[in-house]
Structures are given as C-alpha cells and as structure tokens.
Amino acid sequence: MKDIVSTKEMLLKAQKEGYAVPAFNIHNLETVQVVVETAAEMRSPVILAGTPSTIKYAGADYLISIASTAARKYDIPIAIHLDHFEDVSLIKNYIDLGFRSSMIDASHEPFEKNIETVKEVVEYAHKSGATVEAELGRLGGQEDDLVVDEKDTMYTNPQSAKEFVERTGIDSLAVAIGTAHGLYKGEPKLDFNRLKEIRELVDVPLVLHGASDVPDELVQKAISLGICKVNVATDLKIPFANAVKNYFLEHPDANDPRKYMVPGKEAMKAIVMHKINVCGSKNRV
Ligand code: 13P
C-alpha cells in the first residue's frame, strides 16, 4: 500500500532536474488538506513540515495518520518531516512511530558537537530508511519557539560544509546564506557566491530555510544555484489568519468552523500554488 515516503528520492530528483521541492509548515488537519490537495492538483511532490511545537500541539500520532491517509489518497510523493528538532531522543521516538524525514538542528552547538549529535541521528534514522537534514551556520529570526538574535546568526562556511557532510553522512544540508525565519526588516540579501561555493564542494541536496518574504526572483536564483528544498511557514500563516479575521469581521456571530475555516484555507491555497510555481515543482510527478 502507498504511504508517506522519505525525502531521499524526491530531493535527489529535484537536484538532478534543477527545481526545488517545497516544504510547507502545517499545523492541523485543515493546513495539511490545503497543502496536499493543491500539490496533487499541480502534480508536485511535497513535504509537510512540523516543528516540535506543532507536533506537540497536534499530536505525532494524529499527524502521521493524516499524512499517511493523504499519501494513500493522492498519487504524488508526500513526506512528513520533523522540522528543527533539537532533541535527539524525540526524533528517535518519532522515527519509531513512522516519520521518515527529520531535521536535527544542532546548529547552535560548536562544530564538533554538531557533528557528533547529527551523526547519532543519521545512524539511527538510516536503519529505518529515514532521511536526515542538518544545518551548518545559523539563521536569524523566529520559527515557533526557536528565536535566534541577529547577533547570533552565522553564514555557512563552504569548506566546513564539505567536512560536515562527509563526516555526518546527512542526506541534505540546510545552508545559512542570508535568509531568516519570519518577516524581514528590509529586502533580504542572499550571498549567492557562498551558495555557489557550497554547491561546488557539497554533493547532497541543499535546503533554503526562511523562504517567506523573500522575493520570488531571489528564491529562483537560489534554486538555479543548487537549492532543492524550500521551506515556507510565515507566508502561509499570515494570509490564513487574515482571511479568518476578515470573515469574523463580516460575520460577527459566526461560530461554525466548517464555515470560518474556509476563507483561511482558500487564502492559503493561493500561496501554496504560487510557491509550487516558484519552486518549479509543478508537473514533476
Ligand atoms: P519562514 O517562516 O520564514 O517561511 O521559515 C520557514 C522555515 O524555514 C521552516 O523551517
């Protein structure tokens, strides 16, 4: 029976063919529905990403069941991914539960400790056929409970990236090249030369975090230089929330979630479609 997949094949295919697979942060049944329905309509592979606080909120067992149901229902590759997990034992538990894609984020640790932590996850995950993403360098901004001050941000060093990938055996590398989680104060400045250098030295798929609020041309340039996975959270949350807020302004007495969720889902769907087009992942399955 068809089920959720790891991100291995879908990212290698994207790398080979020069597009990116979008990873959309989801929070509940409705947000999963929007992402998978839209991806299926557009024939795009897709990654559902859940941060630690999302998994805690929605329940790992509920989320994996919903993702598995989606994978059986639609004829596209669907992965559910543990996003920005810092706790190794939690990742192991969720892999045992059926997750087949994870990010261990030890980017706040010194280089050697980062390698040691990531290696432990890779060894465990690969036994179950699960993939592992890790980050070298440090993105600024806020992703749920993870807040990184601008002074603590650090760009990825290309030589260290090569060593990091070789020594850890990770399946994909999240790079810090100037994006940040959440909204930007000015226009983000991406260090494309750094990305090029990393691409030349590192052979695994590269991941762009913090892709919300980044102009489409910059995301597409990053993809042309080797980014194969593009993470989007904030750009989905804001229009969903705004549409629901507007609905309540227009219908102050509304109380039926089957009604007030609909405009949120529609607003989110438009962004999911747009991001799939930006990633170039349409009609790739
Ligand atoms: P944004 O909220 O900036 O889109 O970042 C999402 C992300 O990188 C998830 O890991």
Side-chain angles (χ1 to χ4, degrees), residues 5-15 19 21 77 131:
V5 291
S6 83
T7 43
K8 184 95 186 167
E9 319 263 282
M10 63 167 82
L11 292 186
L12 288 176
K13 183 172 184 290
Q15 183 174 21
Y19 62 94
V21 179
T131 38

Coordinates of all heavy atoms in Angstrom, one line a residue, residues 5-15 19 21 77 131:
V5 N 6.6 8.9 2.2 CA 7.9 8.5 1.8 C 9.0 9.3 2.6 O 8.6 10.3 3.2 CB 8.1 8.7 0.3 CG1 7.2 7.7 -0.5 CG2 7.8 10.1 -0.1
S6 N 10.2 8.9 2.5 CA 11.3 9.8 3.0 C 11.5 10.9 1.9 O 10.9 10.8 0.9 CB 12.6 9.0 3.2 OG 13.3 8.8 2.0
T7 N 12.4 11.8 2.2 CA 12.7 12.9 1.3 C 13.8 12.5 0.3 O 14.2 13.3 -0.5 CB 13.0 14.2 2.0 OG1 13.8 13.9 3.1 CG2 11.7 14.8 2.5
K8 N 14.3 11.3 0.5 CA 15.5 10.9 -0.3 C 15.4 11.1 -1.8 O 16.0 11.9 -2.5 CB 15.9 9.5 0.0 CG 17.1 9.0 -0.6 CD 18.3 9.1 0.3 CE 19.6 8.8 -0.3 NZ 20.7 9.2 0.6
E9 N 14.4 10.3 -2.4 CA 14.3 10.3 -3.8 C 13.8 11.6 -4.4 O 14.3 12.1 -5.4 CB 13.3 9.2 -4.2 CG 13.4 7.9 -3.5 CD 14.2 6.9 -4.2 OE1 13.6 6.3 -5.1 OE2 15.4 6.7 -3.8
M10 N 12.8 12.2 -3.7 CA 12.2 13.4 -4.2 C 13.3 14.5 -4.3 O 13.3 15.3 -5.2 CB 11.0 13.8 -3.4 CG 11.1 14.2 -2.0 SD 9.7 15.0 -1.3 CE 8.6 13.7 -0.9
L11 N 14.2 14.6 -3.3 CA 15.2 15.7 -3.3 C 16.3 15.4 -4.4 O 16.8 16.3 -5.0 CB 15.8 15.9 -1.9 CG 14.8 16.5 -0.9 CD1 15.6 16.8 0.4 CD2 14.1 17.7 -1.4
L12 N 16.7 14.1 -4.5 CA 17.7 13.7 -5.5 C 17.2 14.0 -6.9 O 17.9 14.5 -7.8 CB 18.1 12.3 -5.3 CG 19.0 12.0 -4.1 CD1 19.3 10.5 -4.0 CD2 20.3 12.8 -4.1
K13 N 15.9 13.7 -7.1 CA 15.3 14.0 -8.4 C 15.3 15.5 -8.7 O 15.6 16.0 -9.8 CB 13.9 13.4 -8.5 CG 13.2 13.6 -9.8 CD 11.9 12.8 -9.8 CE 11.2 12.9 -11.2 NZ 10.6 14.1 -11.6
A14 N 14.9 16.3 -7.7 CA 14.9 17.8 -7.8 C 16.3 18.3 -8.1 O 16.5 19.2 -9.0 CB 14.3 18.4 -6.5
Q15 N 17.3 17.7 -7.4 CA 18.6 18.1 -7.6 C 19.1 17.9 -9.1 O 19.7 18.7 -9.7 CB 19.5 17.4 -6.6 CG 21.0 17.8 -6.7 CD 21.8 17.2 -5.6 OE1 21.4 16.1 -5.1 NE2 23.0 17.7 -5.3
Y19 N 15.1 21.8 -9.9 CA 14.0 22.5 -9.3 C 14.0 22.3 -7.8 O 15.0 21.7 -7.3 CB 12.6 22.1 -9.9 CG 12.3 20.6 -9.7 CD1 11.5 20.2 -8.6 CD2 12.7 19.6 -10.6 CE1 11.2 18.9 -8.4 CE2 12.4 18.3 -10.4 CZ 11.6 17.9 -9.3 OH 11.3 16.6 -9.1
V21 N 11.8 21.1 -4.1 CA 10.5 20.6 -3.6 C 10.1 21.5 -2.4 O 11.0 21.8 -1.6 CB 10.7 19.1 -3.0 CG1 9.4 18.6 -2.3 CG2 11.2 18.2 -4.0
P77 N 4.3 11.9 -4.5 CA 5.1 11.6 -3.3 C 4.9 12.7 -2.2 O 5.0 13.9 -2.4 CB 6.6 11.8 -3.8 CG 6.5 11.9 -5.3 CD 5.1 12.4 -5.6
T131 N 15.3 9.9 6.3 CA 16.4 10.8 5.9 C 16.6 11.9 7.0 O 15.8 12.2 7.8 CB 15.9 11.6 4.6 OG1 14.6 11.8 4.7 CG2 16.3 10.7 3.4

